[in-house]
Amino acid sequence: MAGGGGAERARPGGLLPPACRQPRRRVSSGTAGGTGLDPFYASIILFVGRAWDAITDPMVGFFISKTSWTRFGRLMPWIIFSTPFAVISYFLIWFVPDISRGQVMWYLVFYCIFQTLVTCFHVPYSALTMFISREQSERDSATAYRMTVEVLGTVLGTAIQGQIVGNVVTPCIESPLFIGKTNSSVAMEELNMTHDTGSLTDTRNAYMIAAGVIGGLYILCAVILSVGVREKRESSELRSDEPVSFFQGLKLVMNHGAYIKLIAGFLFTSLAFMLLEGNFALFCTYTLGFRNEFQNILLAIMLSATLTIPLWQWFLTRFGKKTAVYVGMSSAIPFLIMVAVLDSNLIITYIVAVAAGISVAAAFLLPWSMLPDVIDDFKLQHPNSHGHEAIFFSFYVFFTKFTSGVSLGISTLSLDFAGYQTRGCSQPSEVNFTLKMLVSAVPVALILLGLLLFKLYPIDEEKRRKNKKALQDLREESNSSSESDNTELASIV
C-alpha cells in the first residue's frame, strides 16, 4: 500500500515540502521580490519536526494498543480517519502563503501535523501484519507484497513529482557568484532578487499540482486498504482487558533482547542505505557529471528494488532470513567501492544503481519480515502479557525515522563543512570528495558494522520453527481450556 509507506519513505528525498529538503534546498515564498526561506530556518523546521516525530511514534503505538475493538477492527479506524486530514496537511506544506512574516511557523505547524497524521496511518498499517494471520509464512508473504507495493509507490511518487516539477527549469548558479561569499545565504538572496517572478510562480504551481496528484493517490490507496483488508481478532489473540501502563509496556518491549539486537543491526545498515539514497543524486550530478541523468539513475535504483523484492522473499523462504540479511546487505559493497574508485562512466553508474536497488530491496523487506518473529518470541516469554504489537511496530517506525534524521544531519553538516554551494553548476573538489565518502566509504563501513552486530540476533531458522510449534501448542492448550470452561458453564446452566 503506497499511501502510507510511500509517503513515509519519500520524506528524506523527493516528496518533502520545499522547506525541509536536503541539503539546503530553496523554498519559494510569496513575498514581493520572490525571496526564499533561509536554509537555517528550514533546518529548524526539519529538526523540530523530527523531534516531534520521536514523541508521536511511541505514543500513537501505545494509544492504538489501548483502542477498543470496533466493527472495523482495532487498527483500521486510525487509518480511515487520519487519511483525509493527512492529505490536507500534505497539500498545505507545499502551499506558499502570501505573507511577509510567519512562513516559518506555517511550515513548522503543518509539517508537524503531517508527521503526526502519517504516524497515525503508518503505525497501524505496519502492525496489520500481525492481525491478518497467525501463520508465519502468510505474514512473510503479506510483508513481501506490502514492501513491493511500497517501493512501487515510492517510484510512482518520485516519477510524478520529478516529471511535474522537472518541467519548470531552475537554472544553476555559476561558481563565480560564490567567490568571496562566506555565507551561502547571501549569494542565495542575490540570486532570488534577480530570479524571474514568473518562474517562481510556475515552480510553486508545479509543486502544488504534484502534491494534489500524490494526495489523490494517498486517498485511493487508503480506500483500497480499508475495503480489501479485514482484521482477524482471533489471530491477534488480544483478548485481555487488563490495563497496561505505557511505561510497563515500554519496559517489557525494550527489555526483550531479540528486539534490541534486531534494531541495533538494522540501525546501521539502514543508515548506510539512507546515506546512499540521500546523496546519490548529488553524487551523480556533481561528482560524476550526470546532471541530466540522475532522475533516471534514481528510478533505476527504485525499479530494481521493486522487481527484486519477490526474489528476496523466495530467498529468505529457501535459505533463511539471517542468510538473506548477510547476502543482501553485503552484495552492494563491491559495487559501492567500484563507483567511487573508477572514473566517471554512465554504464557503470547504471550497473551500480541496479545493484544498489537489489540491496535496497533487502533492506526494505527483511526488517519488517523479521519483526513478527521477534513478537512471537516475546509472546512465548510473556504469555500473560497481551496487546504490545503496536508498541513494537511504533518504536520500529521511530528508529527508522531516527535513522533518517541522523542521515540527513550527517549529510547536511558534511556538505556544509566541505563548502557545498546551493544550486551551483559545479562544486569544489572538497564537496566531490565528501560525496564519494557519503555514497561509498561510509555506507560500506556501516554495512559491515551492522552485519557484525547482527551476529548477536538470536532467532535463526531453527529457533523460528521451535517458536512456531510452541505457539501452536500454547493456542491449542488455550482453546482446550476455553472449551472446558464453556462445557462447565453449560452444565451449570
Side-chain angles (χ1 to χ4, degrees):
M1 216 295 295
E8 194 67 18
R9 292 191 180 280
R11 289 188 307 172
L15 303 187
L16 268 177
C20 307
R21 300 177 69 183
Q22 90 117 27
R24 300 172 69 110
R25 296 287 180 89
R26 176 173 177 280
V27 185
S28 303
S29 77
T31 59
T35 57
L37 189 66
D38 190 278
F40 170 77
Y41 294 114
S43 299
I44 293 296
I45 292 170
L46 187 63
F47 176 80
V48 175
R50 297 293 183 182
W52 177 249
D53 220 4
I55 299 173
T56 58
D57 280 318
M59 292 303 297
V60 167
F62 175 74
F63 288 135
I64 290 174
S65 69
K66 306 302 292 181
T67 301
S68 301
W69 279 87
T70 68
R71 65 190 184 96
F72 298 105
R74 168 177 283 176
L75 304 177
M76 202 61 71
W78 287 80
I79 295 173
I80 294 172
F81 291 111
S82 67
T83 294
F85 300 104
V87 171
I88 293 172
S89 62
Y90 180 71
F91 183 81
L92 289 176
I93 57 178
W94 292 98
F95 177 75
V96 180
D98 190 14
I99 53 178
S100 58
R101 294 183 179 180
Q103 282 192 340
V104 173
M105 187 57 63
W106 172 281
Y107 287 117
L108 178 61
V109 169
F110 284 109
Y111 184 54
C112 290
I113 292 174
F114 175 69
Q115 294 274 31
T116 303
L117 292 168
V118 169
T119 298
C120 292
F121 185 110
H122 196 246
V123 170
Y125 164 68
S126 303
L128 268 176
T129 306
M130 298 299 299
F131 288 77
I132 59 179
S133 176
R134 72 174 94 187
E135 293 295 328
Q136 292 179 351
S137 59
E138 292 180 358
R139 293 195 307 234
D140 289 344
S141 178
T143 300
Y145 279 111
R146 175 169 73 90
M147 298 313 302
T148 300
V149 180
E150 277 199 22
V151 178
L152 185 62
T154 304
V155 173
L156 186 61
T158 303
I160 291 172
Q161 181 119 352
Q163 291 300 316
I164 294 176
V165 178
N167 288 329
V168 180
V169 178
T170 304
C172 63
I173 309 167
E174 295 294 342
S175 56
L177 282 176
F178 289 97
I179 296 176
K181 304 293 186 183
T182 58
N183 187 342
S184 62
S185 299
V186 175
M188 200 69 207
E189 183 176 353
E190 291 184 5
L191 173 73
N192 292 333
M193 291 176 63
T194 59
H195 195 58
D196 181 65
T197 304
S199 178
L200 289 176
T201 302
D202 293 340
T203 303
R204 292 197 297 266
N205 292 338
Y207 277 119
M208 291 175 62
I209 292 171
V213 174
I214 293 172
L217 289 176
Y218 193 120
I219 294 175
L220 175 63
C221 292
V223 170
I224 294 173
L225 176 65
S226 60
V227 172
V229 177
R230 288 290 178 268
E231 297 176 54
K232 297 179 181 179
R233 186 173 188 178
E234 64 274 14
S235 67
S236 64
E237 299 181 323
L238 303 180
R239 303 180 182 180
S240 173
D241 294 326
E242 298 179 3
V244 179
S245 71
F246 173 77
F247 291 104
Q248 286 176 326
L250 177 61
K251 183 178 179 181
L252 285 172
V253 170
M254 289 303 169
N255 283 338
H256 189 57
Y259 185 59
I260 298 301
K261 292 168 184 175
L262 182 68
I263 287 176
F266 279 113
L267 194 66
F268 289 97
T269 55
S270 298
L271 179 58
F273 287 105
M274 287 182 182
L275 282 172
L276 175 63
E277 290 180 63
N279 294 284
F280 201 68
L282 293 175
F283 177 73
C284 292
T285 300
Y286 295 115
T287 306
L288 299 181
F290 302 137
R291 177 178 295 275
N292 297 325
E293 292 287 338
F294 79 88
Q295 287 279 9
N296 295 329
I297 293 171
L298 292 179
L299 284 177
I301 294 176
M302 302 312 296
L303 286 174
S304 173
T306 303
L307 296 175
T308 52
I309 284 179
L311 173 64
W312 286 118
Q313 173 63 21
W314 169 84
F315 190 95
L316 66 87
T317 303
R318 179 69 176 81
F319 300 101
K321 296 180 181 180
K322 288 191 73 170
T323 303
V325 169
Y326 295 132
V327 174
M329 301 300 176
S330 61
S331 62
I333 292 177
F335 296 97
L336 295 179
I337 296 174
M338 181 189 303
V339 75
V341 172
L342 299 180
D343 294 333
S344 176
N345 185 292
L346 186 59
I347 296 177
I348 292 179
T349 303
Y350 273 106
I351 293 174
V352 171
V354 172
I358 294 173
S359 292
V360 166
F364 277 171
L365 173 64
L366 291 171
W368 296 107
S369 180
M370 300 170 79
L371 183 56
D373 300 336
V374 172
I375 297 175
D376 286 345
D377 188 67
F378 177 86
K379 287 181 178 179
L380 288 175
Q381 295 186 23
H382 306 277
N384 297 321
S385 184
H386 305 284
H388 303 305
E389 285 86 347
I391 298 179
F392 272 100
F393 279 91
S394 65
F395 271 94
Y396 210 71
V397 172
F398 160 70
F399 282 112
T400 301
K401 295 177 181 178
F402 172 78
T403 306
S404 174
V406 171
S407 169
L408 193 63
I410 292 174
S411 300
T412 303
L413 290 175
S414 300
L415 291 172
D416 280 352
F417 182 77
Y420 176 80
Q421 299 172 352
T422 307
R423 284 178 51 197
C425 294
S426 61
Q427 298 292 341
S429 59
E430 293 82 0
V431 172
N432 292 328
F433 176 79
T434 302
L435 288 171
K436 278 189 176 184
M437 294 297 101
L438 291 174
V439 302
S440 180
V442 176
V444 168
L446 290 170
I447 290 172
L448 292 175
L449 180 57
L451 293 179
L452 287 175
L453 291 173
F454 197 76
K455 292 285 289 183
L456 303 175
Y457 179 68
I459 303 178
D460 54 15
E461 288 305 297
E462 181 180 357
K463 178 72 176 293
R464 201 161 72 96
R465 285 191 292 268
K466 289 181 179 179
N467 285 352
K468 179 180 179 181
K469 186 178 185 306
L471 280 173
Q472 289 175 343
D473 294 341
L474 194 63
R475 293 187 188 107
E476 291 174 1
E477 181 181 343
S478 177
N479 291 336
S480 299
S481 177
S482 298
E483 290 175 2
S484 176
D485 292 341
N486 291 337
T487 302
E488 292 179 5
L489 180 62
S491 63
I492 293 174
V493 174

Coordinates of all heavy atoms in Angstrom, one line a residue, residues 25-64:
R25 N 17.9 23.0 0.3 CA 17.1 23.3 -0.9 C 16.3 24.6 -0.6 O 16.0 24.9 0.5 CB 16.1 22.2 -1.3 CG 16.9 20.9 -1.6 CD 17.5 21.0 -3.0 NE 18.2 19.8 -3.4 CZ 17.6 18.8 -4.0 NH1 16.3 18.9 -4.3 NH2 18.3 17.8 -4.4
R26 N 16.0 25.3 -1.7 CA 15.3 26.6 -1.5 C 13.8 26.5 -1.4 O 13.2 25.6 -2.0 CB 15.7 27.3 -2.8 CG 15.1 28.7 -2.9 CD 15.7 29.4 -4.1 NE 15.1 30.6 -4.2 CZ 13.9 30.8 -4.8 NH1 13.2 29.7 -5.2 NH2 13.3 31.9 -4.9
V27 N 13.2 27.4 -0.6 CA 11.8 27.4 -0.5 C 11.3 28.8 -1.1 O 11.7 29.8 -0.7 CB 11.3 27.4 0.9 CG1 9.8 27.3 1.0 CG2 11.9 26.1 1.6
S28 N 10.5 28.7 -2.1 CA 10.0 29.9 -2.7 C 9.0 30.5 -1.8 O 8.2 29.9 -1.2 CB 9.3 29.6 -4.1 OG 10.2 29.0 -4.9
S29 N 8.9 31.8 -1.7 CA 8.0 32.5 -0.9 C 7.1 33.4 -1.7 O 7.3 33.6 -2.9 CB 8.6 33.4 0.2 OG 9.1 34.6 -0.4
G30 N 6.0 33.8 -1.1 CA 5.1 34.7 -1.8 C 5.3 36.1 -1.6 O 4.5 36.9 -2.0
T31 N 6.4 36.5 -1.0 CA 6.6 37.9 -0.8 C 7.1 38.6 -2.0 O 7.5 38.0 -3.0 CB 7.7 38.1 0.3 OG1 8.9 37.4 -0.1 CG2 7.3 37.5 1.7
A32 N 7.0 39.9 -2.0 CA 7.4 40.7 -3.1 C 8.9 40.5 -3.4 O 9.7 40.5 -2.5 CB 7.2 42.2 -2.8
G33 N 9.2 40.3 -4.6 CA 10.6 40.1 -4.9 C 11.0 38.6 -4.9 O 12.1 38.3 -5.4
G34 N 10.1 37.7 -4.4 CA 10.3 36.3 -4.5 C 11.5 35.8 -3.6 O 12.2 34.9 -4.0
T35 N 11.7 36.4 -2.5 CA 12.8 36.0 -1.6 C 12.5 34.6 -1.0 O 11.3 34.2 -0.9 CB 13.0 37.0 -0.4 OG1 11.8 37.1 0.3 CG2 13.4 38.3 -1.0
G36 N 13.5 33.8 -0.7 CA 13.3 32.5 -0.2 C 13.5 32.4 1.3 O 14.1 33.2 2.0
L37 N 13.0 31.2 1.8 CA 13.2 30.9 3.2 C 14.7 30.6 3.5 O 15.2 29.7 2.8 CB 12.3 29.8 3.6 CG 12.1 29.5 5.1 CD1 11.5 30.6 5.8 CD2 11.3 28.2 5.3
D38 N 15.2 31.2 4.5 CA 16.6 30.9 4.8 C 16.9 29.5 5.2 O 16.1 28.9 5.9 CB 17.1 31.8 6.0 CG 18.6 31.8 6.2 OD1 19.1 30.8 6.8 OD2 19.2 32.7 5.7
P39 N 17.9 28.9 4.7 CA 18.2 27.5 5.0 C 18.3 27.2 6.5 O 18.0 26.1 6.9 CB 19.6 27.2 4.3 CG 19.6 28.2 3.2 CD 18.9 29.4 3.7
F40 N 18.7 28.2 7.3 CA 18.8 27.9 8.7 C 17.4 27.6 9.3 O 17.2 26.7 10.1 CB 19.3 29.2 9.4 CG 19.2 29.2 10.9 CD1 20.1 28.4 11.6 CD2 18.2 29.9 11.5 CE1 20.0 28.4 13.0 CE2 18.1 29.8 12.9 CZ 19.0 29.1 13.7
Y41 N 16.4 28.4 8.8 CA 15.0 28.1 9.3 C 14.5 26.8 8.8 O 13.7 26.1 9.4 CB 14.1 29.3 8.9 CG 14.4 30.6 9.6 CD1 14.9 31.6 8.8 CD2 14.3 30.7 10.9 CE1 15.2 32.8 9.5 CE2 14.6 31.9 11.6 CZ 15.1 32.9 10.8 OH 15.4 34.1 11.5
A42 N 14.9 26.4 7.6 CA 14.5 25.1 7.0 C 15.1 24.0 7.9 O 14.4 23.0 8.2 CB 15.0 24.9 5.6
S43 N 16.3 24.2 8.4 CA 16.9 23.2 9.3 C 16.2 23.1 10.6 O 16.0 22.0 11.1 CB 18.4 23.5 9.5 OG 19.1 23.5 8.3
I44 N 15.8 24.3 11.1 CA 15.0 24.3 12.4 C 13.7 23.5 12.2 O 13.3 22.8 13.1 CB 14.7 25.7 12.8 CG1 16.1 26.4 13.2 CG2 13.8 25.8 14.0 CD1 16.7 25.8 14.4
I45 N 13.0 23.8 11.1 CA 11.7 23.1 10.8 C 11.9 21.6 10.8 O 11.2 20.8 11.4 CB 11.1 23.6 9.5 CG1 10.7 25.0 9.6 CG2 9.9 22.7 9.1 CD1 10.3 25.7 8.3
L46 N 13.0 21.2 10.1 CA 13.3 19.7 10.0 C 13.6 19.1 11.4 O 13.1 18.1 11.7 CB 14.4 19.5 9.0 CG 14.7 18.1 8.7 CD1 13.5 17.4 8.0 CD2 15.9 18.0 7.8
F47 N 14.4 19.8 12.1 CA 14.8 19.3 13.4 C 13.6 19.2 14.4 O 13.4 18.2 15.0 CB 15.9 20.2 14.0 CG 16.3 19.8 15.4 CD1 17.2 18.8 15.6 CD2 15.8 20.5 16.5 CE1 17.6 18.4 16.9 CE2 16.2 20.2 17.8 CZ 17.1 19.1 18.0
V48 N 12.8 20.3 14.5 CA 11.7 20.2 15.3 C 10.7 19.2 14.9 O 10.1 18.4 15.7 CB 11.0 21.6 15.4 CG1 9.7 21.6 16.2 CG2 11.9 22.6 16.0
G49 N 10.5 19.0 13.6 CA 9.6 18.0 13.0 C 10.1 16.6 13.4 O 9.3 15.7 13.8
R50 N 11.4 16.4 13.3 CA 11.9 15.1 13.7 C 11.7 14.8 15.2 O 11.4 13.7 15.7 CB 13.4 15.0 13.4 CG 13.7 15.1 11.9 CD 13.2 13.9 11.1 NE 13.5 13.9 9.7 CZ 13.1 13.0 8.8 NH1 12.4 12.0 9.2 NH2 13.5 13.2 7.6
A51 N 12.0 15.9 16.0 CA 11.8 15.7 17.5 C 10.3 15.4 17.8 O 10.1 14.6 18.7 CB 12.3 17.0 18.2
W52 N 9.4 16.1 17.1 CA 8.0 15.9 17.4 C 7.7 14.4 16.9 O 6.9 13.7 17.6 CB 7.2 16.9 16.6 CG 5.7 16.7 16.7 CD1 4.9 16.3 15.7 CD2 4.9 16.8 17.9 NE1 3.6 16.2 16.2 CE2 3.6 16.5 17.5 CE3 5.2 17.2 19.2 CZ2 2.5 16.6 18.4 CZ3 4.1 17.3 20.1 CH2 2.8 17.0 19.7
D53 N 8.2 14.0 15.8 CA 8.0 12.6 15.4 C 8.5 11.6 16.4 O 7.9 10.6 16.6 CB 8.8 12.4 14.1 CG 8.1 11.6 13.0 OD1 6.9 11.3 13.3 OD2 8.6 11.3 12.0
A54 N 9.6 11.9 17.1 CA 10.1 11.0 18.1 C 9.1 10.8 19.2 O 9.1 9.8 19.9 CB 11.4 11.5 18.6
I55 N 8.3 11.8 19.5 CA 7.3 11.8 20.5 C 6.1 11.0 20.1 O 5.5 10.2 20.8 CB 6.9 13.2 21.0 CG1 8.1 13.9 21.6 CG2 5.8 13.1 22.0 CD1 7.9 15.3 21.9
T56 N 5.6 11.3 18.8 CA 4.3 10.8 18.4 C 4.4 9.3 18.0 O 3.4 8.6 18.3 CB 3.9 11.5 17.1 OG1 4.9 11.4 16.1 CG2 3.6 13.0 17.4
D57 N 5.5 8.8 17.6 CA 5.6 7.3 17.2 C 5.2 6.4 18.4 O 4.3 5.6 18.3 CB 6.9 7.0 16.6 CG 7.1 7.4 15.2 OD1 6.1 7.2 14.4 OD2 8.1 7.9 14.8
P58 N 6.0 6.5 19.5 CA 5.6 5.6 20.6 C 4.3 5.9 21.2 O 3.6 4.9 21.6 CB 6.8 5.8 21.6 CG 7.4 7.1 21.2 CD 7.2 7.3 19.8
M59 N 3.9 7.2 21.3 CA 2.6 7.5 21.9 C 1.5 7.0 21.0 O 0.5 6.4 21.6 CB 2.5 9.0 22.0 CG 3.5 9.6 23.1 SD 3.3 8.9 24.7 CE 1.6 9.4 25.1
V60 N 1.5 7.1 19.7 CA 0.5 6.6 18.9 C 0.4 5.1 19.0 O -0.7 4.5 19.1 CB 0.7 7.0 17.4 CG1 -0.2 6.2 16.4 CG2 0.4 8.5 17.2
G61 N 1.6 4.4 19.0 CA 1.6 3.0 19.2 C 0.9 2.6 20.5 O 0.1 1.6 20.6
F62 N 1.2 3.3 21.6 CA 0.5 3.0 22.9 C -1.0 3.2 22.8 O -1.8 2.4 23.3 CB 1.1 3.8 24.0 CG 0.4 3.6 25.3 CD1 0.6 2.5 26.0 CD2 -0.4 4.6 25.8 CE1 0.0 2.3 27.3 CE2 -1.0 4.4 27.0 CZ -0.8 3.3 27.8
F63 N -1.4 4.3 22.2 CA -2.8 4.6 22.2 C -3.6 3.6 21.3 O -4.7 3.2 21.6 CB -3.1 6.0 21.6 CG -2.7 7.1 22.6 CD1 -2.0 8.2 22.2 CD2 -3.1 7.0 23.9 CE1 -1.6 9.2 23.1 CE2 -2.8 8.0 24.8 CZ -2.0 9.1 24.4
I64 N -2.9 3.1 20.2 CA -3.5 2.1 19.4 C -3.7 0.8 20.2 O -4.7 0.1 20.1 CB -2.6 1.8 18.2 CG1 -2.7 3.0 17.2 CG2 -3.1 0.5 17.4 CD1 -1.8 2.9 16.0

